Amino acid sequence: MCQKYSSDVQRGVNQLANALNGYIAPIVEAILKEKGDVYKFAGDAVLGLWPFENNSIDHQREQAKRVISCALYMKKSFCNYMTPIGTILNIKSAIALGSYSIIFLRGTTPACSKILDEYEIKMQSSIRNVNFPSQTTKLANSTNYISKTGLNQETIENCKTNLINYYVCYGSAVVSVRNAEHQCKSQDVIVDMATWLLLDSDS
C-alpha cells in the first residue's frame, strides 16, 4: 500500500495517513467501547490492554470474554476493508492473559540535551568563582551565557519544560501476546493457553 501511495509525490503521504486513520480509528473505538485501553500503535498494529479490577476468577473470565467479543466484532467489521486505491486490508487478533508493568520515563530531544548540558556547565563554572552566589549573580551569569551563545531565554526555558514522555510496557502478558501474534494469520483470532484454560474452566 505504501508503494502505491508513494507514486503520488504531492498527495501520497496525506492519502496514506487518511487511509490508515480511517481504518484504525473505528478499531480504537471498538476497544474503548469494550472498556479496554489503547496502549500504543506500532506501525499498523494496535496494542490494547484490559486491566483486571480484582483478582477473582469470575472477573478475569468476564474480561477475557469481553476481549474475545471485541476481537470477533473487529474481525466481522474490519476484514476485507477496501481502501480508496483498491488495496484490501485485513485484521488479525492475538489475545493473551498475564501480568504487565508500565514504566514512564521523561527526557529531552538530543538538541535540547546539548543546550541544557552546555548551559549547566557554564552556569556551574561561573558560580564556583563567586563565594556566595546570589540570585542576581546567577541571573547575570545566565544573561552572559545567553548573549555569548546567541540563544535566548525562551529557548532555554522551552528545553527545560518541553520534556518528552517515554513509556515501556513489559511482562508475561506482553511476551505471550507477541508470541500469539506470530502464530496469527490474516483474519485469525488466536488466544494463548492461559486465556483458553480460563475460559475452559467455565464449561
Side-chain angles (χ1 to χ4, degrees), residues 3-198:
Q3 291 178 342
K4 290 186 178 181
Y5 277 114
S6 63
S7 62
D8 187 341
V9 178
Q10 298 296 326
R11 299 178 300 168
V13 174
N14 289 334
Q15 289 176 336
L16 176 60
N18 290 336
L20 288 177
N21 288 339
Y23 184 66
I24 292 178
I27 292 175
V28 171
E29 291 177 6
I31 293 173
L32 297 178
K33 185 178 180 180
E34 288 294 344
K35 311 300 182 183
D37 291 326
V38 175
Y39 165 64
K40 74 171 183 177
F41 300 94
D44 59 353
V46 180
L47 178 59
L49 301 174
W50 276 261
F52 292 145
E53 296 176 3
N54 59 67
N55 293 324
S56 72
I57 297 299
D58 288 340
H59 173 66
Q60 293 181 15
R61 188 179 295 118
E62 286 304 311
Q63 284 289 74
K65 289 179 179 179
R66 181 175 284 117
V67 176
I68 291 174
S69 174
C70 181
L72 293 174
Y73 168 78
M74 290 190 294
K75 176 180 178 178
K76 179 181 178 181
S77 303
F78 307 124
C79 281
N80 299 314
Y81 176 88
M82 182 71 71
T83 66
I85 60 171
T87 301
I88 296 177
L89 301 180
N90 279 299
I91 192 171
K92 60 181 182 179
S93 299
I95 301 169
L97 171 68
S99 61
Y100 67 89
S101 299
I102 299 178
I103 297 178
F104 290 90
L105 306 171
R106 302 191 77 186
T108 63
T109 63
C112 274
S113 293
K114 183 178 179 181
I115 290 173
L116 291 177
D117 287 345
E118 293 178 353
Y119 175 72
E120 292 299 329
I121 291 172
K122 294 292 184 182
M123 287 292 293
Q124 292 299 326
S125 176
S126 299
I127 289 173
R128 280 197 296 269
N129 294 327
V130 180
N131 290 331
F132 302 100
S134 64
Q135 285 300 118
T136 304
T137 303
K138 291 180 181 179
L139 180 60
N141 290 333
S142 174
T143 303
N144 289 336
Y145 171 76
I146 291 172
S147 62
K148 289 179 181 178
T149 58
L151 298 172
N152 55 54
Q153 189 66 42
E154 183 179 0
T155 301
I156 299 294
E157 292 304 318
N158 282 339
C159 283
K160 289 181 178 180
T161 57
N162 292 341
L163 298 176
I164 301 173
N165 290 322
Y166 299 91
Y167 47 93
V168 179
C169 184
Y170 69 97
S172 62
V174 179
V175 174
S176 294
V177 81
R178 284 176 179 168
N179 290 337
E181 190 271 336
H182 290 316
Q183 303 297 321
C184 273
K185 297 179 181 179
S186 180
Q187 301 191 18
D188 280 353
V189 175
I190 188 171
V191 300
D192 72 337
M193 183 59 70
T195 306
W196 179 268
L197 292 175
L198 179 65

